[in-house]
Amino acid sequence: MRIILSGPPGVGKGTQSHLLARTLKIPHISTGDLFRWHIANGSTLGKSVKSYIDAGELVPGVATERIVAERLLRDDAAAGFILDGFPRTYDQARVLDAILARRGDKVDHVIEFVLDNAELESRLLARGRSDDTEDVIRRRLTVYEKERETILGHYGPIVTELDASGSVGEIAERLLSTLGAQVLQAMGVHGARSGQAMV
Ligand code: ADP
């Protein structure tokens, strides 16, 4: 199953991607995590993207597409994956579709996490990552508005909105029921009981 989780910064899609990946036994691919790994390890790529991440701007050029393409080609992503933070632009969506089309696949679900800005800001400030300062958060929210339009425009018919309020367990359950029968089948009977069981 090929799933995209989209939503504003701070909405909790990283946490939910991680849980869902464990439940469905498919990899969680987060472009933000991949970039942060490169930064932490001082790679050339890390050095070239750091200033954009610190400013809350999208990393320009094809670096993001490349890093995702490489990750998607690994064996563990053949049966499916959860993409978190990708695609964020029309070009990225086209690249993703092309990679999948080459192997006869397509994106199955796009889940759009929705939460009001006040709650987002308080979650982000509580998390306190280095790009979670007030100015950068504001910029990332603005950048996200454009991403949202792009995603809706491109994947419209397979986009489902998800209410991202409540506890981690509540959102996890809501996410599973939103993904529906296909996912429950992939999980088998046991995992289907509740979000709690997966945490
Ligand atoms: P959040 O969704 O909370 O803003 P992410 O971890 O997804 O955080 O992304 C952090 C930063 O990494 C972004 O602000 C951007 O600089 C960079 N980034 C992540 N994904 C992409 C992408 N698909 N294209 C360009 N830049 C990206």
Side-chain angles (χ1 to χ4, degrees), residues 109-183:
H109 295 280
V110 179
I111 304 292
E112 180 78 36
F113 283 55
V114 180
L115 193 65
D116 64 65
N117 278 9
E119 179 68 15
L120 287 175
E121 286 189 31
S122 74
R123 284 188 191 179
L124 282 164
L125 291 172
R127 179 172 75 180
R129 215 167 62 193
S130 66
D131 58 345
D132 288 340
T133 61
E134 266 184 75
D135 285 358
V136 177
I137 289 171
R138 210 165 304 126
R139 180 63 195 148
R140 279 157 61 210
L141 283 169
T142 307
V143 168
Y144 168 68
E145 279 309 311
K146 206 164 149 203
E147 170 189 338
R148 184 168 177 274
E149 276 171 34
T150 305
I151 295 291
L152 285 174
H154 191 73
Y155 291 113
I158 56 164
V159 176
T160 312
E161 285 198 356
L162 181 87
D163 169 11
S165 64
S167 69
V168 169
E170 282 164 355
I171 303 165
E173 274 198 58
R174 213 176 284 141
L175 176 58
L176 287 178
S177 55
T178 300
L179 287 170
Q182 230 182 324
V183 163

Side-chain angles (χ1 to χ4, degrees), residues 9 13 31-32 36 53 57 59 64 85 88 92 129 140:
K13 58 189 191 300
T31 43
R36 282 184 288 275
I53 292 185
E57 300 295 341
V59 170
T64 318
R88 281 186 153 138
Q92 291 179 359
R129 215 167 62 193
R140 279 157 61 210

Side-chain angles (χ1 to χ4, degrees), residues 35 38-39 44-54 59 63:
F35 285 141
H38 278 276
I39 292 171
T44 311
L45 177 67
K47 289 190 182 110
S48 69
V49 302
K50 187 175 184 316
S51 62
Y52 297 103
I53 292 185
D54 287 346
V59 170

